[in-house]
Amino acid sequence: GAVVSQHPSRVICKSGTSVKIECRSLDFQATTMFWYRQFPKQSLMLMATSNEGSKATYEQGVEKDKFLINHASLTLSTLTVTSAHPEDSSFYICSAPRGSGGHNEQFFGPGTRLTVL
Amino acid sequence: GDSVTQMEGPVTLSEEAFLTINCTYTATGYPSLFWYVQYPGEGLQLLLKATKADDKGSNKGFEATYRKETTSFHLEKGSVQVSDSAVYFCARAGANNLFFGTGTRLTVIP
């Protein structure tokens, strides 16, 4: 089946630094990828839709200047958390769809746990 | 409003007990429906899916039937194991993304 990878799996950084998370579709092309954030014991919250060749679409309440998304190619999207603060500590998950319309299937990366000290 | 409404947890069962986790959805048309599972410390994995009404998805002893009459996709397993302890998410397909329920944490005790 389709595979989506994320790197790194864990990152610990100091407050004020920036962290880049990569999401790759390993055996299929994805013109769209999704970035989610998951808080402890809660569901996934869609942050933004990453679009290859164009700007990302952000969900309401998500700061585009803080969470920079770049969809560099048909197999790679990156999420950069800029000037990270402890409240940004979370589990970040990407996904990429295969299929179309209402019958697509999402393939999820294993997630990246960010801890900001 | 919510697109997917899922039974709130947590749910604690003894090994070999019967499991039901309720899920209902709202949608225009008949989108694909999914159950994802998240084991401790891991990412989401697709557990099963159904792409049209009356389809039954099944995997690892889990089943769910796409019922358009009741707009439901309840997850069931006849005999749970300790290894089934995880968080289960119901989801429905959107145009490109997924709409998730809030997740149900299942703990199975020996």
Side-chain angles (χ1 to χ4, degrees):
Chain A
V3 177
V4 174
S5 69
Q6 271 184 252
H7 178 78
S9 57
R10 291 178 180 273
V11 57
I12 300 173
C13 69
K14 293 182 179 180
S15 186
T17 59
S18 294
V19 175
K20 180 185 284 189
I21 303 169
E22 293 185 348
C23 177
R24 293 182 186 273
S25 57
L26 297 184
D27 55 356
F28 67 102
Q29 294 183 333
T31 56
T32 302
M33 291 183 177
F34 299 96
W35 287 97
Y36 296 85
R37 184 173 179 177
Q38 185 181 26
F39 293 98
K41 300 183 180 181
Q42 293 188 29
S43 187
L44 283 70
M45 180 190 80
L46 180 64
M47 299 175 65
T49 302
S50 173
N51 304 298
E52 191 269 337
S54 64
K55 292 183 180 180
T57 305
Y58 290 82
E59 296 300 303
Q60 192 173 10
V62 178
E63 298 176 58
K64 62 180 67 176
D65 294 331
K66 180 163 189 64
F67 298 101
L68 299 180
I69 291 174
N70 181 29
H71 202 127
S73 74
L74 288 172
T75 58
L76 173 63
S77 174
T78 60
L79 168 68
T80 302
V81 183
T82 62
S83 187
H85 291 281
E87 58 266 29
D88 298 324
S89 298
S90 191
F91 195 54
Y92 293 88
I93 304 171
C94 72
S95 73
R98 288 183 77 177
S100 61
H103 300 284
N104 67 80
E105 180 174 343
Q106 292 282 344
F107 293 91
F108 286 83
T112 297
R113 184 162 301 285
L114 170 63
T115 303
V116 185
L117 302 176
Chain B
D2 292 337
S3 291
V4 179
T5 303
Q6 189 175 340
M7 183 175 88
E8 288 191 23
V11 174
T12 302
L13 295 172
S14 297
E15 206 165 20
E16 299 183 1
F18 184 84
L19 169 72
T20 299
I21 301 178
N22 290 340
C23 172
T24 58
Y25 65 92
T26 57
T28 302
Y30 303 105
S32 294
L33 301 174
F34 307 87
W35 277 98
Y36 283 85
V37 58
Q38 185 178 30
Y39 297 104
E42 299 183 16
L44 271 73
Q45 302 174 28
L46 178 65
L47 178 61
L48 55 84
K49 67 177 180 180
T51 58
K52 60 183 188 296
D54 299 325
D55 263 4
K56 177 185 283 187
S58 62
N59 184 28
K60 299 182 181 179
F62 291 90
E63 291 183 341
T65 301
Y66 192 143
R67 301 207 184 276
K68 63 180 181 180
E69 301 84 5
T70 53
T71 60
S72 64
F73 194 55
H74 305 322
L75 182 68
E76 297 182 337
K77 185 171 185 179
S79 176
V80 294
Q81 305 299 313
V82 173
S83 56
D84 293 328
S85 297
V87 181
Y88 293 82
F89 293 92
C90 184
R92 75 156 180 88
N96 258 321
N97 64 335
L98 286 172
F99 296 98
F100 285 92
T102 53
T104 302
R105 181 175 297 277
L106 169 66
T107 302
V108 180
I109 54 178

